[in-house]
Amino acid sequence: MTYDDIPHLSAKIKPKQQKVELEMAIDTLNPNYCRSKGEQIALNVDGACADETSTYSSKLMDKQTFCSSQTTSNTSRYAAALYRQGELHLTPLHGILQLRPSFSYLDKADAKHREREAANEAGDSSQDEAEEDVKQITVRFSRPESEQARQRRVQSYEFLQKKHAEEPWVHLHYYGLRDSRSEHERQYLLCQGSSGVENTELVKSPSEYLMMLMPPSQEQEKDKPVAPSNVLSMAQLRTLPLADQIKILMKNVKVMPFANLMSLLGPFIDSVAVLRGIQKVAMLVQGNWVVKSDILYPKDSSSPHSGVPAEVLCRGRDFVMWKFTQSRWVVRKEVATVTKLSAEDVKDFLEHMAVVRINKGWEFILPYDGEFIKKHPDVVQRQHMLWTGIQAKLEKVYNLVKETMPKKPDGQSGPAVLVSGDQRVQVAKSKAQQNHALLERELQRRKEQIRASTVLPGVRIKEEPMSEEGEEEEEREVEEDEEPMDTSPSRGLHNRLANGLPAGRAAGGDSFNGHPPPGCANTPVARELRAFVEATFQRQFVLTLSELKRLFNLHLASLPPGHTLFSGISDRMLQDTVLAAGCKQILVPFPPQTAASPDEQKVFALWESGDMSDQHRQVLLEIFSKNYRVRRNMIQSRLTQECGEDLSKQEVDKVLKDCCVSYGGMWYLKGTVQS
């Protein structure tokens, strides 16, 4: 049994002590569970009367607590390894905890037993002994505690135990192995540049390997150049590994075009290796590379102006960088209002990457590098995905309203025009009506050709007009094709318009998002997309279109540059692939005042997976096709009615865990709850 199969699992942590407690439910319906023993343990711990302080409210030992303990103090020798596609990814460990069963309930049972014995003895003695004589009590006042006595008391075992006990527990929320959040965190175990990254520690020449086996003496070590801090010597810099050269240059320069970086590194350096290395220490902004915030503000550091920790500084600087990906200009007051940082910190951020213009604001320090954008579209696409993830985090932290502003390379054109969903639908309908006459004339022309070539003498072909229903269906198809998914590749970061429409599409041009023509379902792109969809729905049975697109973005970020899926996938192609993979769209009746976006209201579910739970899941999905939220007793009764009386609680729990989430005493399909 895995943790995902357990119906109840809660955890809490004491961060200062690095202590974790995990409370896990016990399957009391398992045939191996001794019910009489469980009742006896609950009776010994809580007594006959159950109240709010009882450890086992069900009068049955139905849970077990596990406490953590440190296995070793030196974790520098250990790492977490992940083997994937012939590559071994290693992540260093900074702490190892071992969970062991806690038997604190036995101490509570012993304390209850001693209290009962003491009460019985006190009752017996009170019947035999007479009333005690009144005794004189002497009151003494304690002397002031000296400094030495206070230090001894603070260092005593009892004081430390009391201090540890007073630290509050922080309750944690557990996410299962197949949850999307767990999968997102698991991506951090993979190296971002895993596709053929030059690792200077593992790829050594014979002479370098011999030098590692027999290091030189201390005198020779002193003659070796040390990585410079403030003043850079190019002769010393080029003796360092390529990754260190790139990091030192970007840390000192802050913002640099790729062409300048290549000229500083020398003429014999491979540009592909530099591209892989620069993505580890910098982010792409307007075609130029800006050093990452965590390089300038490492962990455990703080602001020299305000003392703000490095994590807050990195978040604020990332916001400034993200604003420059949206526009050439940034206003300092806006940054200070959103980030709540001091004026000195905000000024430092802006001076790293911009210059001030009187009565205008701060302009990005370098011109837009369109040549790099055109030359390296795969790098641009990968960086765009990273910025999408950073934007989502910033929106959550700073409570921002989503902005979809176009990128203008020259910064001279007017502000972006936001197009609403209704306007997009009207534009699509007008295009369909304009093209309808042309399509009809083309259809008539083809019919005339067929009639002239195939009709026999004396045979008449009956022509029926196109029904209104067919016209509406054609218009709907045109509308759906007009909405590309935001993972479609752009010709540059500046080439995206509001609401995700590319410039060519907004002006009425053809799509470039890679949607295959009819009859091309067996292309490599379609096969790769089908494999991703099937694997995703095998792990998560219910997904909204918004969540599916987010998972697809994560999948693209883990793929090597030049993969077939980078050719672009539209919303229509993704939805058609989902339906072709054995899934169905569940028309959940959202309430009229819902805040869910159109993509969040499109819910897809795996209809048949080949296991024993298919029938239960189908009944559950039919319930939610008529109800936005349902109580558990209604689901239980409907499943019992459709699947028989022998339906166990574990089977109900499993289908609810696969497809639903509980909130406020009600059950919702995953991804549809609006808190």
Side-chain angles (χ1 to χ4, degrees):
M1 177 181 292
T2 63
Y3 288 154
D4 285 347
D5 300 324
I6 299 171
H8 169 72
L9 182 66
S10 63
K12 54 186 181 180
I13 184 174
K14 288 188 176 183
K16 292 183 180 178
Q17 304 176 38
Q18 295 184 353
K19 183 177 180 182
V20 179
E21 265 193 13
L22 188 69
E23 186 177 274
M24 188 183 304
I26 297 177
D27 185 8
T28 58
L29 301 179
N30 193 288
N32 296 324
Y33 180 82
C34 182
R35 191 174 186 85
S36 60
K37 192 67 175 178
E39 293 175 350
Q40 183 63 43
I41 293 175
L43 180 62
N44 294 340
V45 174
D46 299 326
C49 299
D51 53 13
E52 295 180 355
T53 61
S54 299
T55 304
Y56 305 111
S57 57
S58 62
K59 297 184 178 181
L60 194 68
M61 183 181 177
D62 56 356
K63 58 186 177 181
Q64 174 68 54
T65 303
F66 293 83
C67 287
S68 66
S69 61
Q70 289 190 354
T71 57
T72 179
S73 57
N74 182 17
T75 59
S76 60
R77 300 169 51 204
Y78 300 92
L82 182 62
Y83 185 80
R84 184 173 183 179
Q85 296 180 358
E87 297 174 346
L88 185 65
H89 300 257
L90 297 177
T91 303
L93 298 180
H94 299 286
I96 302 175
L97 298 179
Q98 181 180 13
L99 290 174
R100 296 180 179 179
S102 173
F103 301 99
S104 58
Y105 63 91
L106 295 179
D107 298 335
K108 189 175 179 181
D110 292 341
K112 288 271 188 182
H113 181 67
R114 286 194 294 268
E115 289 176 3
R116 286 194 295 267
E117 288 183 349
N120 293 335
E121 293 176 1
D124 296 338
S125 61
S126 62
Q127 297 176 4
D128 301 332
E129 296 177 2
E131 184 177 355
E132 295 182 357
D133 297 333
V134 178
K135 294 182 179 179
Q136 184 179 1
I137 299 176
T138 302
V139 179
R140 296 181 180 178
F141 295 93
S142 61
R143 292 178 299 176
E145 189 179 27
S146 64
E147 182 64 24
Q148 293 181 352
R150 191 190 69 82
Q151 291 182 359
R152 287 196 299 268
R153 180 175 59 83
V154 168
Q155 296 175 1
S156 64
Y157 176 77
E158 290 79 10
F159 182 82
L160 293 177
Q161 288 295 104
K162 182 181 178 182
K163 189 175 180 180
H164 288 173
E166 289 175 351
E167 183 181 357
W169 287 101
V170 178
H171 289 271
L172 306 177
H173 185 76
Y174 175 78
Y175 295 103
L177 181 64
R178 295 181 294 180
D179 191 90
S180 61
R181 295 173 181 84
S182 300
E183 183 177 355
H184 177 71
E185 292 295 327
R186 201 154 46 244
Q187 291 292 328
Y188 290 114
L189 294 176
L190 297 175
C191 179
Q192 289 185 359
S194 60
S195 57
V197 176
E198 179 183 0
N199 193 323
T200 57
E201 293 297 326
L202 298 178
V203 181
K204 297 289 185 182
S205 63
S207 58
E208 291 175 336
Y209 183 71
L210 184 61
M211 188 71 67
M212 292 174 63
L213 293 178
M214 301 179 62
S217 61
Q218 296 294 331
E219 291 77 9
Q220 294 177 352
E221 287 288 342
K222 293 180 181 179
D223 297 335
K224 282 194 172 183
V226 182
S229 57
N230 296 327
V231 180
L232 282 176
S233 168
M234 296 305 297
Q236 291 179 342
L237 183 66
R238 289 178 179 174
T239 61
L240 300 175
L242 179 61
D244 293 340
Q245 294 184 45
I246 297 173
K247 182 177 180 180
I248 292 173
L249 285 172
M250 291 306 304
K251 189 174 181 179
N252 284 270
V253 181
K254 308 290 192 303
V255 185
M256 191 187 305
F258 186 73
N260 291 12
L261 178 63
M262 289 298 300
S263 64
L264 289 173
L265 292 175
F268 304 107
I269 301 298
D270 183 16
S271 62
V272 177
V274 177
L275 271 178
R276 293 167 182 160
I278 190 67
Q279 294 183 67
K280 295 181 180 180
V281 297
M283 297 291 293
L284 191 66
V285 178
Q286 300 190 22
N288 301 282
W289 291 99
V290 182
V291 64
K292 288 184 177 180
S293 301
D294 55 0
I295 302 296
L296 295 179
Y297 304 106
K299 191 177 180 182
D300 299 330
S301 63
S302 60
S303 168
H305 306 293
S306 59
V308 173
E311 181 182 0
V312 181
L313 292 175
C314 290
R315 197 160 52 225
R317 188 174 181 274
D318 287 345
F319 176 74
V320 174
M321 293 170 62
W322 172 74
K323 289 293 289 183
F324 277 121
T325 65
Q326 307 295 310
S327 173
R328 289 283 303 174
W329 301 88
V330 168
V331 180
R332 188 171 72 170
K333 277 189 176 180
E334 179 187 356
V335 176
T337 303
V338 173
T339 60
K340 303 294 189 299
L341 292 172
S342 65
E344 293 81 3
D345 290 332
V346 175
K347 186 178 180 182
D348 281 352
F349 299 159
L350 293 170
E351 287 178 344
H352 290 168
M353 61 192 83
V355 291
V356 64
R357 305 294 185 193
I358 300 176
N359 297 330
K360 287 187 177 182
W362 291 78
E363 185 184 11
F364 193 68
I365 194 170
L366 295 178
Y368 184 86
D369 192 352
E371 182 180 354
F372 179 85
I373 297 295
K374 294 177 182 178
K375 191 175 180 181
H376 304 282
D378 53 340
V379 177
V380 174
Q381 176 71 4
R382 183 182 294 271
Q383 289 291 311
H384 172 56
M385 293 176 189
L386 294 176
W387 276 121
T388 303
I390 294 174
Q391 178 183 352
K393 291 181 180 178
L394 294 175
E395 288 171 353
K396 184 176 180 181
V397 173
Y398 294 133
N399 296 322
L400 301 177
V401 179
K402 286 189 177 181
E403 298 178 350
T404 51
M405 299 178 63
K407 306 277 181 71
K408 301 293 183 182
D410 53 353
Q412 301 298 324
S413 53
V417 179
L418 295 178
V419 183
S420 66
D422 293 338
Q423 291 174 333
R424 293 170 65 191
V425 171
Q426 293 300 328
V427 170
K429 285 186 176 181
S430 64
K431 289 180 181 178
Q433 292 173 359
Q434 292 172 4
N435 295 332
H436 184 66
L438 296 176
L439 293 174
E440 277 195 340
R441 286 198 295 269
E442 180 68 18
L443 181 63
Q444 291 296 333
R445 186 181 64 81
R446 291 186 180 182
K447 285 184 177 180
E448 290 292 340
Q449 292 178 354
I450 295 173
R451 184 184 300 112
S453 60
T454 60
V455 175
L456 298 175
V459 179
R460 307 179 71 181
I461 297 177
K462 181 179 178 181
E463 297 182 3
E464 295 185 359
M466 182 182 295
S467 63
E468 296 181 359
E469 181 179 356
E471 295 178 7
E472 295 175 357
E473 181 177 357
E474 181 180 357
E475 291 180 6
R476 284 198 303 270
E477 290 180 356
V478 174
E479 294 168 20
E480 291 178 354
D481 284 343
E482 289 295 331
E483 182 180 358
M485 184 172 162
D486 54 5
T487 59
S488 59
S490 61
R491 303 179 191 273
L493 291 178
H494 65 284
N495 202 22
R496 290 179 291 111
L497 290 185
N499 299 324
L501 281 174
R505 177 63 65 86
D510 294 334
S511 169
F512 65 103
N513 58 9
H515 195 298
C520 295
N522 200 29
T523 61
V525 176
R527 289 196 298 270
E528 289 286 343
L529 183 61
R530 176 72 175 261
F532 162 75
V533 169
E534 289 177 348
T536 302
F537 276 93
Q538 285 295 332
R539 295 192 302 270
Q540 304 180 49
F541 295 97
V542 178
L543 286 172
T544 62
L545 180 59
S546 175
E547 179 68 8
L548 183 60
K549 289 162 68 174
R550 188 184 72 83
L551 294 176
F552 185 66
N553 280 336
L554 289 175
H555 179 64
L556 286 180
S558 67
L559 296 177
H563 196 273
T564 56
L565 284 181
F566 282 109
S567 59
I569 304 298
S570 67
D571 277 7
R572 177 69 182 276
M573 185 177 181
L574 183 62
Q575 294 179 66
D576 289 346
T577 305
V578 170
L579 297 176
C583 302
K584 287 190 177 182
Q585 184 174 358
I586 310 302
L587 302 178
V588 179
F590 283 83
Q593 67 277 13
T594 181
S597 64
D599 283 353
E600 291 174 342
Q601 296 186 33
K602 292 182 180 180
V603 184
F604 297 92
L606 182 62
W607 194 254
E608 292 183 356
S609 62
D611 58 10
M612 300 297 294
S613 302
D614 283 349
Q615 183 183 4
H616 306 158
R617 187 166 55 253
Q618 292 169 10
V619 173
L620 182 68
L621 295 175
E622 289 177 358
I623 294 174
F624 280 101
S625 65
K626 301 177 182 177
N627 303 275
Y628 174 61
R629 55 183 182 181
V630 189
R631 293 192 179 275
R632 182 189 172 97
N633 55 4
M634 177 182 174
I635 298 175
Q636 181 88 34
S637 60
R638 181 68 181 275
L639 287 173
T640 304
Q641 178 183 353
E642 296 290 338
C643 304
E645 298 290 341
D646 56 346
L647 191 66
S648 64
K649 180 177 179 298
Q650 286 80 2
E651 292 174 327
V652 177
D653 289 339
K654 182 181 184 304
V655 72
L656 286 176
K657 183 175 177 297
D658 289 342
C659 305
C660 302
V661 62
S662 176
Y663 183 79
M666 304 294 289
W667 287 87
Y668 303 77
L669 275 185
K670 286 184 176 179
T672 63
V673 60
Q674 300 294 320
S675 56

